[in-house]
Amino acid sequence: MSITRNVRVRFAPSPTGALHIGGVRTALFNWLFARHHKGTFILRIEDTDQTRSTDESIKVILDSMKWLGLDWDEGPFRQTERMDIYREHVDRLLKLGKAYYCYCTPEELEARRKEAMAAGKPPKYDRKCRSLKTPIEGRTPAVRFLSSDEGQTIVRDLIRGAVTFENQQLDDLIIQRSDGFPTYNFAVVVDDVTMSISHVIRGDDHLNNTPRQIQLYEALGYDPPEFAHLPMILGSDKTKLSKRHGATAVTEYISLGYLPEALVNYLSRLGWSSGDQEIFSRQELIEKFALDSVGKAPSVFNPEKLVWLNHHYIQQADLNRLSELLLDLLKKDGAVTEGNEPDREWLKTLVKILTERSHTLVEMKTGALPFLLDGITMDEKAKAKHLTPDVAPLLSELTARLRSVDPFTHTEIETVFNALVAEKGIKLGKLAQPVRVALTGGTVSPGIFAVIEVMGKEKTVKRIEAAICSL
RNA sequence: GGUCCCAUCGUCUAGCGGCCUAGGACGCUGGCCUCUCACGCCGGAGACACGGGUUCGAUCCCCGUUGGGACCA
């Protein structure tokens, strides 16, 4: 595919809620396409639905975009600030005789639709108002586009190829509602053309809207942009992904402890691929992204693979960055209070030993808690299994020896353990597991020597002694 | 119901007529490593929806069937 035009693409969400996975994927593909072709990425807020649009949603969407690193070059534009432009275009079609006023009420339309259905005809607008010469008193009209009912409209889609629609199937769609607001299909055309959009990349739920939009472009005397309709993202039951499939909003993934690069990498591979490669840096994504390697079939969202990628990116992430992210989570949890923050270098060593078994930042936070809180939450089953009365002498001996370890580091601690284990003729596990439970409250943690080193001599000794006392 | 789209392991996908006894990844699973859990390493099970063509030869091209999805209501 050769891109000859100056690439200008847009992402146009409706601010009726949070930014969802499907929207992110659309935004991401537009962004990648723009960056790959050194084009322009435009953000447009489609807020003509006054009843459902909120400023709060706009804020959430912008914040999510920023978190994902999807920066835009122009905008955000809001449709509600462009009402004059839409009216101007409606007037133009009216003057050209390509649009007409329609006084039918929703109730009338519904009744006639049912009639048509009952008679076995397609429920298409019957053009009752088309030949109307005088306005109907007491009614505010909507404006309908006079569409052609002969021939075909062919959508040349960059992903689907040529898709043919019989014009006969298309009815005269409303372009301006009686309340004066433009309808979606009209506003989108006017916006895309006035913003010089070169490629419309959007979900394929809009494919059926495209022929009527093409007719509008033509009626208005504009060249249509290129189109690329992306396959949908489905839930595990293969229906369109929605809230009932679990977490779908970007904000949820943030609070679940995901890294933006994991989400970006995962979503880029949903419906797109480049050979066998699974892991892509942002730069690689920009370099390799192409619309002709986007698949046609819808894809099922698989949270487990996202977890795997998140784990991968946690291993790759800079320790300073992870420390700050972890700190934020700990503060939200109340585990760390303002002015009582842990030493950053110490926190980094803690993060370092936790990353390997953290699939999410939330998991990391859970693992960090025993190191930060004064007390631990004891898992009773673990206690019953490993902290039995007979280990008390062994633990006493260990604390006595740990007290004199200096410097209190991994290797020195390991030496103490090995010596004690050798003297008693037991396996390391017999000592390590009880200590692990005493220190963390559970049976799962990083390596025991690392745990002890990071926890520090004082806390270690205190906890083991507390455990002994409880036996 | 009408219109449009889609179809390779459970899932994401590679494959663009012979390289395919179909490759990779997630997940699942056997083993190794091991102080726990992981990580890592080695191995395993697992798919071309079906039926017709076209062709010397079809996962790959065409048609139909089936199935799924989206849109319009």
Side-chain angles (χ1 to χ4, degrees):
Chain A
M1 188 193 310
S2 66
I3 306 297
T4 48
R5 300 165 75 169
N6 183 23
V7 166
R8 287 174 62 83
V9 294
R10 71 346 185 242
F11 174 55
S14 296
T16 55
L19 181 59
H20 287 241
I21 293 296
V24 174
R25 213 269 305 250
T26 304
L28 175 62
F29 280 24
N30 272 286
W31 184 85
L32 288 172
F33 187 75
R35 293 293 170 260
H36 178 89
H37 292 289
K38 306 208 181 329
T40 307
F41 179 56
I42 298 157
L43 187 58
R44 183 170 79 220
I45 307 295
E46 306 213 324
D47 59 348
T48 51
D49 185 343
Q50 295 272 282
T51 53
R52 300 201 304 146
S53 299
T54 65
D55 285 351
E56 176 56 24
S57 294
I58 294 178
K59 186 184 181 307
V60 171
I61 290 168
L62 299 190
D63 286 348
S64 297
M65 296 279 288
K66 285 177 196 157
W67 181 77
L68 289 158
L70 302 180
D71 55 326
W72 54 94
D73 307 305
E74 292 179 18
F77 299 110
R78 296 179 62 156
Q79 287 186 322
T80 43
E81 290 163 356
R82 297 166 54 81
M83 298 302 287
D84 292 346
I85 302 173
Y86 307 128
R87 280 197 196 108
E88 195 180 294
H89 281 79
V90 169
D91 287 345
R92 219 157 100 195
L93 287 180
L94 244 18
K95 278 192 191 115
L96 287 167
K98 287 174 177 170
Y100 58 92
Y101 289 107
C102 176
Y103 293 84
C104 300
T105 63
E107 295 74 32
E108 288 169 357
L109 292 170
E110 183 56 30
R112 274 184 273 156
R113 201 178 289 128
K114 276 182 183 155
E115 260 173 55
M117 295 269 274
K121 290 176 185 167
K124 194 175 149 178
Y125 179 61
D126 58 9
R127 292 184 160 171
K128 190 178 179 195
C129 296
R130 184 179 167 184
S131 48
L132 214 60
K133 293 284 185 291
T134 49
I136 295 180
E137 285 299 315
R139 286 192 189 180
T140 319
V143 179
R144 279 189 190 268
F145 175 59
L146 179 59
S147 60
S148 161
D149 54 3
E150 284 174 356
Q152 308 170 318
T153 300
I154 300 172
V155 179
R156 298 193 189 281
D157 191 274
L158 263 17
I159 294 171
R160 308 284 152 154
V163 183
T164 306
F165 294 83
E166 297 295 329
N167 288 342
Q168 212 182 342
Q169 300 292 335
L170 279 25
D171 59 356
D172 290 354
L173 90 152
I174 294 178
I175 56 177
Q176 188 178 80
R177 293 187 301 229
S178 56
D179 64 5
F181 279 92
T183 55
Y184 166 78
N185 279 301
F186 185 70
V188 116
V189 166
V190 173
D191 284 335
D192 285 340
V193 88
T194 54
M195 292 177 185
S196 304
I197 300 300
S198 63
H199 296 75
V200 170
I201 304 170
R202 74 214 327 183
D204 80 9
D205 45 347
H206 290 297
L207 183 57
N208 283 309
N209 287 328
T210 310
R212 27 180 47 147
Q213 290 174 13
I214 289 178
Q215 287 197 7
L216 282 170
Y217 281 108
E218 287 166 353
L220 254 9
Y222 297 123
D223 285 333
E226 304 278 343
F227 293 99
H229 286 93
L230 269 19
M232 300 272 88
I233 298 178
L234 311 178
S236 51
D237 61 355
K238 306 219 175 183
T239 62
K240 195 172 171 179
L241 190 68
S242 70
K243 276 148 296 235
R244 68 203 158 76
H245 294 108
T248 51
V250 172
T251 44
E252 289 177 89
Y253 283 94
I254 299 174
S255 54
L256 252 20
Y258 286 83
L259 261 22
E261 55 267 45
L263 205 52
V264 164
N265 194 151
Y266 177 72
L267 256 16
S268 69
R269 277 286 287 99
L270 213 51
W272 173 81
S273 62
S274 178
D276 281 340
Q277 192 171 345
E278 295 288 349
I279 308 284
F280 294 86
S281 69
R282 191 165 285 251
Q283 200 49 44
E284 280 177 307
L285 246 23
I286 291 170
E287 281 161 17
K288 295 183 176 177
F289 184 79
L291 285 177
D292 42 16
S293 41
V294 172
K296 296 177 185 178
S299 26
V300 173
F301 183 77
N302 176 204
E304 282 162 340
K305 191 158 180 178
L306 174 58
V307 167
W308 173 73
L309 276 164
N310 203 50
H311 178 260
H312 169 83
Y313 281 109
I314 285 178
Q315 311 315 305
Q316 306 281 303
D318 175 72
L319 289 179
N320 289 312
R321 177 183 166 213
L322 286 178
S323 300
E324 295 308 315
L325 290 171
L326 178 64
L327 199 54
D328 286 345
L329 275 180
L330 289 165
K331 282 178 184 169
K332 271 193 197 115
D333 244 39
V336 166
T337 48
E338 211 66 49
N340 195 17
E341 295 181 11
D343 176 76
R344 293 305 157 100
E345 284 307 308
W346 175 81
L347 189 62
K348 261 167 71 179
T349 61
L350 174 60
V351 167
K352 195 175 177 182
I353 68 169
L354 290 172
T355 51
E356 202 167 273
R357 64 217 82 212
S358 301
H359 291 89
T360 65
L361 294 171
V362 171
E363 276 187 20
M364 184 178 283
K365 181 208 71 187
T366 306
L369 255 22
F371 294 86
L372 289 150
L373 266 23
D374 286 335
I376 51 170
T377 314
M378 184 59 74
D379 172 359
E380 290 305 324
K381 263 176 78 179
K383 184 182 176 187
K385 184 171 181 194
H386 298 287
L387 287 176
T388 47
D390 57 297
V391 298
L394 188 63
L395 291 180
S396 300
E397 179 63 27
L398 180 71
T399 46
R401 295 191 189 191
L402 283 176
R403 276 181 206 282
S404 56
V405 170
D406 187 46
F408 201 72
T409 58
H410 190 290
T411 19
E412 317 299 321
I413 296 161
E414 187 171 357
T415 306
V416 167
F417 268 70
N418 285 339
L420 185 56
V421 159
E423 282 171 35
K424 303 287 180 189
I426 55 171
K427 284 190 168 181
L428 182 56
K430 287 286 173 201
L431 179 59
Q433 275 307 77
V435 173
R436 174 170 283 115
V437 176
L439 295 181
T440 67
T443 56
V444 175
S445 84
I448 195 66
F449 312 126
V451 167
I452 293 172
E453 177 181 0
V454 174
M455 200 164 273
K457 189 188 282 187
E458 192 193 342
K459 209 165 193 166
T460 299
V461 170
K462 218 171 81 190
R463 285 204 177 149
I464 297 177
E465 281 175 344
I468 295 169
C469 290
S470 75
L471 292 178

